[in-house]
Amino acid sequence: MVKLCVLCNENRAMIKRPKTGQQICQQCFFYVFETEIHNTIIDNNLFKRGERVAIGASGGKDSTVLAHVLKTLNERYDYGCDLFLLSVDEGITGYRDDSLETVKRNQQQYDLPLKIVSYADLYGWSMDEIVQEVGRKNNCTFCGVFRRQALDRGAVMLGVDHIVTGHNADDIAETILMNIFRGDVARLGRCTEIFTQGESMIRRSKPFKYTYEKEIVMYAYFKKLDYFSTECIYSPNAYRGHARTFLKDLESIRPSAIIDIIHSGEAFEIKSDIKMPTQKTCERCGYMSSNTICKACMMLEGLNKGLPQLGIGRETTRTRRQLSDATNNNEETEQRTTRKTVQHFSKIERDTTIAPIKPRDPSLVNTPPPRVPTHILDDSTKSEKKDLSW
């Protein structure tokens, strides 16, 4: 017997929503997916009319769906926002160079201006060079710190008021678990916020805060969106991967575990007598920091002086001694410090002309096929092989 959609009761049910378990048709899924995101935007007053909004675009499923949905909702509900695509080129050969080609195609498909900033231009180091220097144990720490600041720098160049990122409910739940495991009270209080404040009064928000990753994959699949589906080649050793595995095990037992963890994180209260870090401004680059020198500048100094562990973890007497020795009597240090130093935020100039960036011939780019989502009720798509990619 054909099961009908529980929402419209007219069309055949094709999808079982991972978030609610409802069996619905494709058109109703599109409607509820987009409407839930619209409600998140309205309930939290994410946008203001006339605001210039940069969409953090990596070419992956989250940012591609975010760009598509925001453009659709901006036109449908007349938010009055000017949308831009903002990408960061970390310099990862065989991964980021191919995924950026997807972003360039998205630029044409959605008719949105695109700005690309690179680690090499901003910091004088690419991620490939950083990994050669530090190995694969702490490389994600460098990338995360540099990418966050790179997005804010790109936003200043674009002259935008607001950055939106594709962080979904799964990402936020993973971050909550990671901060609990590490006992990081300061980050635990911030990671559940839908708004965070960046440099130069640039706001950041996460419209996908309550959106499941599986439903994002499902939306991209049925909408036939053009996205890059391969994970970063340096990410298998990341600490986040362990939290993700744990979360997926919980979700398989209790699908609501993701949203439950987020609500639990929102309900956390920090005791009044707990000393929290105060926000300052980095003396070197002008970026926000809890210390006189920000994490990015410390890491960059360590790289330039041959001490890549300098900016990781707590500063010790040993690292200070190593830094002093390297500064005083290492000729190689002088050669390293000739690398480009990071530009002060107050000196960043706005890019008034954003020329279209033409993508390469798709036949010359490695573009993996999109993921086939689970929870599809169509018999023709069923397979005996279980999808373990989640």
Side-chain angles (χ1 to χ4, degrees):
M1 181 178 178
V2 177
K3 293 184 178 180
L4 296 180
C5 171
V6 298
L7 297 181
C8 68
N9 205 31
E10 295 179 358
N11 301 321
R12 179 188 177 193
M14 292 183 60
I15 300 166
K16 182 179 180 181
R17 286 195 71 187
K19 188 175 183 179
T20 63
Q22 293 175 312
Q23 297 185 4
I24 58 179
C25 66
Q26 185 173 309
Q27 291 304 315
C28 283
F29 170 68
F30 292 155
Y31 174 77
V32 296
F33 183 88
E34 294 168 358
T35 301
E36 285 180 1
I37 295 168
H38 169 66
N39 290 338
T40 299
I41 292 171
I42 296 301
D43 292 344
N44 294 278
N45 297 315
L46 294 194
F47 303 132
K48 301 175 183 176
R49 178 167 294 277
E51 205 170 36
R52 293 167 63 90
V53 180
I55 302 169
S58 66
K61 63 184 186 314
D62 299 316
S63 62
T64 301
V65 172
L66 180 62
H68 175 86
V69 170
L70 284 188
K71 181 174 175 62
T72 300
L73 297 180
N74 190 39
E75 295 172 351
R76 180 185 300 168
Y77 297 106
D78 190 25
Y79 295 155
C81 297
D82 294 328
L83 301 178
F84 300 82
L85 296 177
L86 175 59
S87 294
V88 177
D89 181 4
E90 299 94 340
I92 304 175
T93 306
Y95 168 69
R96 183 56 74 208
D97 48 355
D98 290 331
S99 68
L100 282 176
E101 294 302 316
T102 305
V103 178
K104 294 173 186 176
R105 294 195 298 271
N106 292 158
Q107 168 199 222
Q108 296 178 334
Q109 294 158 358
Y110 305 140
D111 191 26
L112 296 175
L114 168 64
K115 176 70 178 178
I116 300 176
V117 293
S118 71
Y119 283 7
D121 291 339
L122 295 177
Y123 310 114
W125 290 79
S126 68
M127 269 311 297
D128 287 341
E129 293 172 328
I130 293 173
V131 170
Q132 288 180 356
E133 192 76 14
V134 306
R136 296 202 175 198
K137 184 176 181 180
N138 294 309
N139 56 285
C140 288
T141 302
F142 279 84
C143 193
V145 171
F146 285 165
R147 184 173 59 247
R148 178 175 180 81
Q149 190 172 133
L151 276 174
D152 278 343
R153 289 179 176 276
V156 174
M157 294 177 192
L158 281 173
V160 300
D161 313 293
H162 191 160
I163 302 173
V164 290
T165 59
H167 292 95
N168 56 51
D170 299 55
D171 297 327
I172 296 171
E174 290 165 11
T175 304
I176 293 171
L177 291 175
M178 290 168 63
N179 289 329
I180 291 175
F181 295 157
R182 292 186 297 214
D184 194 332
V185 178
R187 286 195 176 95
L188 184 58
R190 297 195 305 264
C191 67
T192 58
E193 296 176 356
I194 197 167
F195 271 120
T196 53
Q197 189 69 52
E199 184 61 28
S200 302
M201 300 304 292
I202 299 172
R203 298 187 303 163
R204 286 183 182 227
S205 65
K206 296 167 278 195
F208 283 172
K209 178 181 177 180
Y210 301 110
T211 306
Y212 275 33
E213 180 186 31
K214 288 181 178 179
E215 297 199 354
I216 292 172
V217 173
M218 196 175 288
Y219 185 89
Y221 177 79
F222 284 113
K223 283 286 187 178
K224 296 181 171 56
L225 301 185
D226 182 7
Y227 72 92
F228 191 81
S229 60
T230 301
E231 296 292 332
C232 175
I233 59 177
Y234 296 136
S235 66
N237 297 320
Y239 179 55
R240 179 176 289 273
H242 302 292
R244 179 177 294 123
T245 300
F246 178 59
L247 182 65
K248 295 307 175 187
D249 289 341
L250 289 177
E251 185 190 11
S252 66
I253 301 170
R254 180 186 175 91
S256 65
I258 294 174
I259 290 295
D260 292 341
I261 290 173
I262 293 176
H263 290 325
S264 297
E266 292 171 335
F268 273 120
E269 293 185 2
I270 301 173
K271 292 182 178 179
S272 57
D273 59 343
I274 298 296
K275 186 178 180 180
M276 300 294 288
T278 56
Q279 183 171 310
K280 304 174 184 177
T281 301
C282 176
E283 294 177 352
R284 296 185 185 176
C285 70
Y287 193 68
M288 59 182 180
S289 173
S290 57
N291 298 302
T292 54
I293 306 297
C294 72
K295 198 76 169 177
C297 285
M298 287 295 294
M299 288 180 167
L300 190 59
E301 182 178 10
L303 289 170
N304 289 337
K305 294 186 176 180
L307 299 172
Q309 300 302 316
L310 179 64
I312 299 177
R314 296 179 179 177
E315 185 181 359
T316 63
T317 303
R318 182 180 177 183
T319 58
R320 286 195 294 269
R321 187 185 303 116
Q322 288 176 332
L323 178 60
S324 177
D325 293 342
T327 303
N328 293 333
N329 53 29
N330 192 344
E331 294 181 359
E332 184 181 354
T333 300
E334 296 181 3
Q335 297 176 356
R336 286 173 174 267
T337 52
T338 58
R339 283 181 179 264
K340 181 176 180 178
T341 56
V342 67
Q343 185 181 29
H344 197 279
F345 256 84
S346 62
K347 297 181 180 179
I348 299 176
E349 296 182 358
R350 180 172 172 178
D351 190 352
T352 55
T353 58
I354 306 175
I357 305 174
K358 186 176 180 181
R360 287 188 290 162
D361 185 345
S363 63
L364 303 177
V365 180
N366 175 31
T367 305
R371 289 166 121 179
V372 178
T374 54
H375 295 75
I376 299 177
L377 302 179
D378 187 356
D379 293 337
S380 64
T381 61
K382 287 185 178 180
S383 172
E384 295 181 359
K385 186 176 180 181
K386 187 177 180 181
D387 181 6
L388 300 177
S389 61
W390 300 106

